[in-house]
Amino acid sequence: EADIYQTPRYLVIGTGKKITLECSQTMGHDKMYWYQQDPGMELHLIHYSYGVNSTEKGDLSSESTVSRIRTEHFPLTLESARPSHTSQYLCASSPHAPNTGELFFGEGSRLTVL
Amino acid sequence: KNEVEQSPQNLTAQEGEFITINCSYSVGISALHWLQQHPGGGIVSLFMLSSGKKKHGRLIATINIQEKHSSLHITASHPRDSAVYICAVLSNYQLIWGAGTKLIIKP
């Protein structure tokens, strides 16, 4: 069983609010990723990190930001939520070189912005 | 055209049937992942393979690099196998995701 956790699992919030989605892993993995997934659609990489103080934007343009101050923690922040941000956000980690190893996923955070 | 295509998009079968889900890709790859996503949203990695065949319990994954095709097979399917099965290929250190195959196994 993977030791990667996301909170909250579900969040309904009003437009303009600031939100932070938390992701933590206890496996000591250097590589961590945030994916966005709309219902019935494929995953899109929005942010990734290869270690502490390292963050990069992914393929899909996103208004969110991330930070990696500690190895185990990779939070994602939206400064001002909009209805277009409604989606599922999945956090993942990997022990190996970029995307060459097994991926471990959290349970996901389903965000609804009214 | 998507670089990773899965078929079928949806599959409904009876318990006990042999299931095959296909994944075709158009780019050069170094590895291919099969993953399972349950209705709650969580994703579990099933296989990562770069050649040949792997087996885990009732699940078998094969890949043909020359034909740029992979298959995921489920033997003696069970309702608990109902999920979305996702194929993702590793190309130039980037993962390219398929849209998934939604599998429903009826008792």
Side-chain angles (χ1 to χ4, degrees), chain A residues 37-44, chain B residues 37 86 98-100:
Chain A
Q37 185 186 32
D38 292 325
M41 305 297 288
E42 61 265 41
L43 282 77
H44 292 285
Chain B
Q37 184 170 29
I86 304 171

Side-chain angles (χ1 to χ4, degrees), chain B residues 26-37:
Chain B
S26 57
V27 294
I29 72 167
S30 52
L32 181 144
H33 292 259
W34 279 104
L35 307 105
Q36 179 192 56
Q37 184 170 29

Side-chain angles (χ1 to χ4, degrees), chain B residues 37-85:
Chain B
Q37 184 170 29
H38 279 284
I43 296 177
V44 174
S45 178
L46 298 175
F47 297 102
M48 188 182 78
L49 63 166
S50 53
S51 65
K53 176 178 171 179
K54 286 190 176 179
K55 184 176 189 292
H56 186 255
R58 295 180 294 105
L59 300 176
I60 303 165
T62 63
I63 188 169
N64 185 316
I65 296 292
Q66 286 74 32
E67 295 186 3
K68 296 189 173 180
H69 182 268
S70 175
S71 293
L72 177 69
H73 304 286
I74 305 174
T75 62
S77 59
H78 190 275
R80 65 175 176 265
D81 297 326
S82 298
V84 175
Y85 292 84

Side-chain angles (χ1 to χ4, degrees), chain A residues 9 35 37 42-43 88 90 98-103 105-107, chain B residues 33 35 37 40-43 45 48 86 90 93 95 97-99:
Chain A
R9 289 288 314 278
Y35 289 92
Q37 185 186 32
E42 61 265 41
L43 282 77
Q88 174 163 250
L90 288 151
N99 285 321
T100 59
E102 185 179 357
L103 284 168
F105 280 86
E107 290 291 318
Chain B
H33 292 259
L35 307 105
Q37 184 170 29
I43 296 177
S45 178
M48 188 182 78
I86 304 171
L90 181 62
Y93 295 104
L95 272 176
W97 297 80

